[in-house]
Amino acid sequence: MARTPATSRRALLFGTAAVSAGALLTACTSNEPKNQEPTADNVPAADDKPGKAVTIGFAGPQADHGWLNAINDNAKRRAEKYSDVTLEITEGSNDTAQQIGQIQTLINKKVDVLVILPADGKALTQVGLQAMRAGIPVVNLDRVFASPQAYRCWIGGDNYGMGLNAGHYIGEQLKGKQNAKVVELAGLDNLELTQQRTKGFDDALKNYPNIKKVARQAADFTVESGQAKMAQLLQAQSKFDALWNHDDDQGVGALRAIDQAGRDDFLMVGGAGAKSAMDAIKAGNSVLKATVLYPPTMAASAIDLARALGQGKGVGGLSEFEIPSSLTLYSAVVTKDNVDQYLPTGFI
């Protein structure tokens, strides 16, 4: 996520607000059963009965990270479920001007609805407004536009909730231990999403007076940065009880550093929900015991919402005739007890 500065690259990955989106929208006007695994392939689709034909334009950033690649994949596979949906998908770019041009092309094609995960929410606000003024409703996916007038519906994750749930999970694991110590491997510090995750984590720890956060290191959401920064944390902290790592990609590097240091005296909680993390949790042979979700299945739900908008439908299970103006997804904690349920949502 041509290549832009690292801040832009990872700003895309986790917008302003995470789930299990498969559990969020079991359907827009759906009568499907709700006891299936939550993947884009088998989450109950929104009223599979064909209706009005809808052309959905999808514009996202370059898929240079597993999460973003899964976003695109979820959107494509969801659209394929509907015989009444045609998906016009752009190549994807982290260049703001190029993405604006791609969206303007979709506007000129007069698509019925737009789903946009902007490279830069603030910078793309004007093109969102342009689409809305042209009578094309916009589903703003994850990274939010600067004005609510630029979209009809926003759907995305909860970065504060990620930190909050990670903190509560760690707190519950350590609540019987006196003078417990935790460390944090954060993401890019100049990103609001990183700040939100840290704030949620710190707020949760306030409920556990026996726990003190003794160190924090910021990484770059990459395997290499995770390994380097984790090695620094391990050298600086000879003893601690838990680690929260903001991102499962950088967590791959963090686990390498942990293995190289021969450390197994603490528990680790990851973030986002990569398949590699879930596999490790299921195997139970590493310090990684949980991960807090920011699932890319939100893109499948965005297609459901776009189709509902194009067909003038509401969301099944709600009394309102219209879809909501915003949907913040829940940050579920995946552990060995429930990993089989969430494993199909893990991204590579």
Side-chain angles (χ1 to χ4, degrees):
M1 291 168 329
R3 172 131 348 224
T4 54
T7 51
S8 297
R9 175 184 182 270
R10 290 300 298 202
L12 307 174
L13 298 183
F14 312 99
T16 59
V19 118
S20 163
L24 156 82
L25 282 180
T26 53
C28 300
T29 62
S30 173
N31 293 314
E32 296 275 342
K34 297 182 174 65
N35 59 350
Q36 303 178 44
E37 299 290 356
T39 72
D41 287 329
N42 60 19
V43 170
D47 190 4
D48 285 333
K49 184 178 180 180
K52 175 186 174 183
V54 178
T55 299
I56 300 172
F58 183 91
Q62 182 181 346
D64 59 356
H65 178 275
W67 188 86
L68 283 172
N69 185 65
I71 280 283
N72 292 340
D73 187 54
N74 271 268
K76 291 175 184 176
R77 285 188 289 147
R78 194 60 159 186
E80 289 171 357
K81 281 188 167 290
Y82 301 120
S83 61
D84 51 18
V85 168
T86 299
L87 187 67
E88 293 272 354
I89 191 165
T90 65
E91 182 177 346
S93 174
N94 295 330
D95 180 84
T96 297
Q98 185 174 359
Q99 192 179 22
I100 289 173
Q102 292 171 341
I103 294 168
Q104 288 175 332
T105 297
L106 292 171
I107 294 172
N108 292 334
K109 286 184 176 181
K110 302 186 186 303
V111 296
D112 297 303
V113 188
L114 275 167
V115 175
I116 303 173
L117 199 168
D120 182 321
K122 183 177 180 180
L124 269 74
T125 298
Q126 287 302 315
V127 78
L129 288 167
Q130 180 183 342
M132 292 289 287
R133 289 165 181 163
I136 302 174
V138 174
V139 176
N140 181 191
L141 178 58
D142 198 46
R143 190 162 178 79
V144 70
F145 290 131
S147 169
Q149 297 185 69
Y151 58 88
R152 167 59 183 81
C153 176
W154 174 85
I155 177 173
D158 182 1
N159 287 292
Y160 178 85
M162 285 185 74
L164 193 71
N165 288 351
H168 278 301
Y169 175 81
I170 288 174
E172 290 301 304
Q173 304 308 303
L174 301 180
K175 67 180 180 180
K177 184 177 180 61
Q178 294 300 312
N179 302 315
K181 299 177 181 179
V182 301
V183 298
E184 180 181 6
L185 185 63
L188 286 163
D189 258 344
N190 61 338
L191 298 182
E192 183 182 2
L193 66 94
T194 298
Q195 297 161 20
Q196 290 172 341
R197 292 181 186 187
T198 291
K199 185 176 189 320
F201 187 62
D202 290 345
D203 285 352
L205 292 183
K206 292 175 183 177
N207 295 283
Y208 305 94
N210 63 307
I211 299 175
K212 180 181 180 181
K213 187 168 76 173
V214 296
R216 182 182 183 277
Q217 185 68 260
D220 296 332
F221 292 111
T222 66
V223 173
E224 295 76 17
S225 67
Q227 184 170 354
K229 298 300 184 179
M230 190 67 229
Q232 293 177 20
L233 274 175
L234 292 168
Q235 290 172 358
Q237 302 295 325
S238 61
K239 177 68 176 176
F240 57 89
D241 301 289
L243 158 71
W244 183 46
N245 162 56
H246 284 208
D247 175 68
D248 286 334
D249 266 28
Q250 70 184 26
V252 173
L255 284 170
R256 287 179 186 170
I258 293 165
D259 288 342
Q260 289 171 0
R263 296 282 295 271
D264 62 0
D265 54 324
F266 58 88
L267 69 90
M268 174 179 172
V269 176
K275 185 177 184 299
S276 61
M278 294 191 197
D279 286 341
I281 292 166
K282 184 171 183 175
N285 56 7
S286 77
V287 297
L288 184 59
K289 303 303 180 186
T291 187
V292 187
L293 294 187
Y294 204 100
T297 46
M298 64 176 72
S301 294
I303 296 298
D304 285 346
L305 291 167
R307 178 174 178 260
L309 278 170
Q311 296 180 341
K313 297 178 180 179
V315 176
L318 298 182
S319 299
E320 289 73 23
F321 294 116
E322 301 286 346
I323 69 168
S325 60
S326 66
L327 289 163
T328 301
L329 309 183
Y330 182 67
S331 303
V333 179
V334 177
T335 68
K336 194 167 186 177
D337 291 338
N338 63 5
V339 66
D340 286 336
Q341 176 186 354
Y342 290 104
L343 192 56
T345 72
F347 59 89
I348 298 173

